[in-house]
Amino acid sequence: MSKPTADWERVGDRFYRKTQLYTSVFDPDLELENYVVTGAPYSGAVALYRDEGKIYAYRGTQAAKFTIDIHSCAGKLIRQISWDKGRIKALGWSDDERLLVVTDDGTVRSYADLQGDFTPFSLGHGAEQHGVQGCKFWSTGFVALLGDNSIVAVTRYDEPRPQLLASAPAGEVMSWTVIPPEHTSSRSVEVLLAIGKTVYVIDAAECEDRGLEAGPFRHISVSPNGKFIALYTEDSKVWVISSDFQDRLSEYESKVKTPPKDLQWCGNNAVVLAWEDELHLIGPNGAASKFYYDSFMHLLPDIDGIRVLTGDTCDFLQKVPDPTEEVFRLGSTSPASVLLDALQQLEKKSPKADDDIQLIKANLDEAIDVCVSAAGQEYSIHWQKQLLKAASFGKSVLDLYNSDDFVHMTEALRVLNAVRFYEVGLPLSHDQYIRLTPERLMQRLVNRKEYLLALKVSEYLHLPVDRIYVHWARQKVRSSSTDEDGICREIIRKLDGKRGISFEEIARAAFDEGRGKLATELLEHEPRAGKQVPLLLSVGEESIALDKAIESGDTDLVFYVLLNLKKKIPLSSFFRTINTRPVATAIVESSAIDQDRELLKDLYYQDDRRIDGSNLLLSEALAAPDMTAATDKLKMAAKLLRDSKEFAPQVAALEDAQKLLRFQEVFEKDLTERFVGLSVNETMSKLIKMGNMKRAQKVQTEFKVPDKTYWWVRLRALVSRRDWRELEELSKGRKSPIGWEPFYNEILGAGNTKIASLYIPKCTTLTVGERIEMWVKCGMVTKAGEEALKAKDRGALEELRKQASGNAQLDIDRMIAQLQKGR
Amino acid sequence: MATRQALQAINTQDITDKSRRDLLLLLEAVRGKKNLVIERPLASIIGLFVKFSTLQEYGVDKLFFLENHNVDSSQRNIVFLVRGENVKIVRTVAEQIRLVRSESKIDHDFTVIWVPRRTLVSNLILKEHGVLGEANITDLALQFVPLEPDVLSLELEDCFSDLILRRDPTPIFAAARALMLLQKQYGLFPRILGKGDNAKKLADLLQRMRSEEDVNASSDPNNTYLTSFALTPSATIENLIIIDREVDFPTALATQLTYEGLLDEVFGVSHNQTEVDSSILGGAPAPQPQSHTGGSTAPAAAATKRKVQLDSSDKLYPEIRDANFATIGPLLNRTAKRLQTDQQNIHKADQSISDLKSFVSKLPSYQAESASLKTHTSLAEEITKLTQSGPFRRTLEIEQNLLIGSEGSTTHEQLEELLARATPLPTVLRLLCLESTLSNGLRPRDFEHFKRLLLQAYGYQHLGTLARLERMGLFVAREANRGYLNPISGSAGQTATDWNFVRSRLQLWVDEVEEAEPRDIAFVFSGYAPLSVRLVQAVLQKGYLLNLVNPPRAGAAGAAVGTGANGSGWKGFEDVLARIKGATVDVVQKGSDADASQARKTLRGNKEGPKTSLVFFLGGVTFAEVAALRLVGRQLEAAGRGRKLIIGTTGVISGGRAVDVAIEKGVFGA
């Protein structure tokens, strides 16, 4: 077994290691120098396309077909996309392994999950005229540089919205890069453009000159954590500065005449310069180390290191992780290193093992922790095992140790080793695995159609498995050549009884393949009614879609289906569709009320809902500009109802309404006062107030206003007019349909006690006590006394006496005396 | 113990905090200064949990109301905060975006935040207007807004008209989503009880959403496995009781007699605020100039309205809000006396420095309290003016007669008189509707008679009003073959309520109401016990209710029922429920994963912990009902085991608002 330090390289005071991940990666005939190569983050897939600017050997016509090839890091071909749509200007990946292809006219195609079809969108903002110069990608978006130095940013792919950033100065862009939004203080993307001797920083709002003078800069690159910037100057120097352009951190002179073809970061503390087959690794303080390759190579930077891809090998270059260095560095006396030695002694059955343990007894738990972490950083299974064994040995000595980390690490390593296997080709480091998360790793496995592995790993890690099944089924629907029934049966058989399967997604895949019938069949198994709707609409099953939407209870969906439906089918069948579905009708009605009255009228007509139709006309009558129009509308409203007996009262009311309007128009003409808009009662009241008794009475008889109502209206109108004479006249009447008490109350309320008192004797239905009260309220205590006397109520008299004063008191005394005498 | 209870029950503060956080995050995502365009009703809802100054800290420069159509182009960023479920509003947004874009010279960045969610229809409309690609679209899942720690409201102001008039089930869906969110957080409601057809729809929807949730959770790529784990029966919530407003219209129509209820009746309360003429409150600050200028006092001052905040941040208000208005005088008096003695204490000369210090530290709260006392005294005075007026007393008398169930021609005569005297239309309609709902419709002859009188008194435009009321089932003619008249038919109670039976069986009228020290919920209407709350009691206070109806002869019998009654749904009251219209809901929810439920139980400790009941009003709750439920809640808490009551609702309703939905606003020749 080779020593773990064999591929270490010292750069300054740090160690870097180059781990060979895979060999014989590509076909030996492939001329990698003629290709543009980009790799997805977290050791994801690698996309290749032939650089059109380079000449290549002619290999017959069929080879000339242009393709984008997607390989795993181990070289396995995952997908080939044939390309015939213009010149590719940039190729990039997002965090979730979405491939983006940008052509020079600003068209972007986004290929999700390595398998499916693409969704296109266009950059706009003048990309067609000026052409795309290049693009820089980050985890969730990218920025495109156009020919006129304008910059377009796309920050999300689910709903791309290309946004023009602040305009940059003119001039040739020597090199450029982006700082992803998550690393900037403004939380929006910043673009660094090296123009002339300086660098400009551009964001959505402004463009700022950083005032450097050492340019022009051939290369510019931002570290993965966004804190540092590496620049390569014309005079072959590498500068590392902080990303706020405040501190200059280190400088290195390459002493090579030809400028390097690439400059990238290796983790956050080293910069890699690459020529065709030579590589300089520059650590802090300008220390450097050189690596030489036999063939042309490409750099694929990642968060914690850099992958170096040649036609033959795939290497991973990274700083030796601290725990690894602690354990393995030559001459290390760290507790972890001693613990590893103890294990080796133990395996040799040497008593020195115990000596070692005793030596580090005090720091044993720390030693175990370091061994566990170091195991995670190892690619060699042998050393993973050794380190875990050492940790395990150490654990056995300790009484108390929390083994959670140990267990997690063993689990993680099992998964990592499985996915690093060359046929899978995901050479994740432990750090990348943690950052990527197991869930997204499952997604990547599924994208590579490694369903069995994904299932096994998910079960091992207790992750949900339904996504895997769904993906499998979608793939099945897309690629299977068996008949539709067969596919459906097989999918149902496999997925039956599994929890949380989204059949809608599978059905959508079927629909996208043009298998409409299969899609409908699969949809039947979807438990979420709401999800079925959009697809059913696309398949043309509108009325089923409507039913499902109603079932889901989501009115938004119902409305959505209805809007689609209305556009698609004739109005009459639209009404037929909705009138058996009350919810749909309700939604059409409530939305049409403020948007489309005609639709509502048609609906009521079609459904024979006459009252509603008539009320609609009534509200139109209210909105009518003049009386003739209003009357016409009312006539139409009445006409709608006329031929049915059950609506007779309604018709009568509508006719009365017209009649009232006619009356009011006459009154307005004769009396030059406003009447229209008043009700029958209000009209009468107004007439009485104006002294037009006759007219008021005419209204009463015409509209058959009940006597009681009329009397009330008259009473109140007279009182408000303070027409005491008329009121006095009325008190001489013999009968009132509303009794006389209201007269007393209303007049008293208006403050005329004299007239009010006229009505007290007429209130014969009231008790004596009440009448006494009434007299008192009018201030007529004597009258009250007489009332009491008549009723021979001595108590009341006594009571009144207390309230009375002056003459009244005498009167009361007299009455009391009279009452006593009477007895 | 108390803190533990608070921790385990539904924490409404969490909801507030989350809403605020979410909103601010969305605002922060728009870089730089921005103009915020907000829908007016939404603005006051947002105001419940975030201050304008906070919005400014997050870069909001100017605030516009969507309704005013006056968005200007002073900022590059324009953020719309609007409700996406309303088509009209979506259209307005689209039009305004188009307008600003065409008029302004700058290239604007539009952001639309839909509340509570982005809808398909909104996408469609924006697309039709050609602005879909122009705007950044996000949503803010604002559902329940806590009005008070024990009242969660969706604040859907149109929900009554949507549900009752238009039969548009949108509020049911909104309610289901909001309740679902609670279930995700606190676990499944172990039992869902309810009464009413819409309640049934809601319960069904909850069931359906639960089965859909399984799939949703798994197809959401950034979900965590724990979300599905949460769908096991809750250990803190005991049950959900859904009361469909349609089951109990009379309670909504009756005049509320609690202080808060009357505030709502007289001034209108929305989102914990009421607007009052400043002349009513302004007694203290400006009495001098008024007396000098005499009758022509500043018209400007009279026209201005002042907003009064009505919530538990005030020290005084929580004490008086739920009291019957008859007892408000003494209550205010007591507070006034206490404040007076406080003041005297302060003025006492012989004090040590430390005494003084403690008084000074109390001073701000003292001042706040006396200011609040002043406000509420003025408000109460204003209300008293009304309650002592003749029309109010007459209305109340009719109302109480109707609620007692005394039928007779006198009521009709009184009603005719009200009509003839041009009493405000809403008042009359409330009484007519009350009679109609309490007797399952008026006799056809009376019905037509009153319709005619009403049209003559208030105008023929109210044909529309009457049609709408009929459609809502508030004012209808009695059909000859209503279900309950024929007890043999199996569907008894499905279409109509047998009020006489229900009234006696649930004791909807209580003669002796102790308004000052209420023991029964009937205090909120001075005699009438709201059916809705009685239904809640039928679940939660079975023993109490049974004792009330049949005073126990031997104490043992009643007590036995009382103890064994918990957690048994409607048991004991099935006969009453069968005679009340609408479907009856009783669903027991079990976890899909038995192990997980078991684990949860063990984790929580299998002792009977504090339990919360959630009462949800579909179609709106009145303040009177809230007051009554608070009494029930207090009684439950007193009964021990830390039981709590939380009220959920789609919005706050009152009789005035209920009939206003139907009233035709148009006038001939206007």
Side-chain angles (χ1 to χ4, degrees), chain A residues 161 551 554 559 679 703-704, chain B residues 87 117 134 452 456-457:
Chain A
R161 224 169 66 85
E551 214 177 288
D554 185 348
F559 198 17
S679 69
F703 289 90
K704 299 193 188 74
Chain B
V87 178
R117 60 173 177 148
E134 297 289 318
R452 236 175 75 83
Q456 284 180 346

Side-chain angles (χ1 to χ4, degrees), chain A residues 128 146 231 655:
Chain A
E128 290 95 342
L146 305 186
L231 297 158
E655 276 163 0

Side-chain angles (χ1 to χ4, degrees), chain A residues 36 41 81 167 215 235 240 263 308 326 398 455 474 479 522 609 626 630:
Chain A
V36 176
I81 301 168
S167 54
D235 51 355
V240 175
L263 171 141
V308 182
E326 210 176 318
L398 279 182
L455 274 178
R474 282 166 56 187
S479 57
L522 285 167
R609 290 165 57 181
D626 59 87

Side-chain angles (χ1 to χ4, degrees), chain A residues 120-156:
Chain A
F121 65 94
S122 172
L123 285 179
H125 297 291
E128 290 95 342
Q129 298 96 300
H130 303 292
V132 175
Q133 293 296 305
C135 297
K136 299 290 176 187
F137 297 83
W138 75 91
S139 54
T140 57
F142 75 89
V143 160
L145 177 68
L146 305 186
D148 61 344
N149 278 9
S150 54
I151 300 164
V152 181
V154 175
T155 49
R156 54 198 272 197

Side-chain angles (χ1 to χ4, degrees), chain B residues 509-561:
Chain B
W509 186 267
V510 177
D511 281 325
E512 285 155 36
V513 183
E514 292 139 52
E515 279 145 352
E517 291 292 328
R519 280 191 301 119
D520 189 77
I521 56 164
F523 82 99
V524 297
F525 288 107
S526 294
Y528 167 67
L531 170 63
S532 52
V533 184
R534 280 284 192 247
L535 286 174
V536 174
Q537 286 183 309
V539 178
L540 300 176
Q541 292 185 313
K542 287 179 197 296
Y544 170 79
L545 200 51
L546 288 174
N547 284 346
L548 194 69
V549 180
N550 303 315
R553 281 167 292 263
V561 180

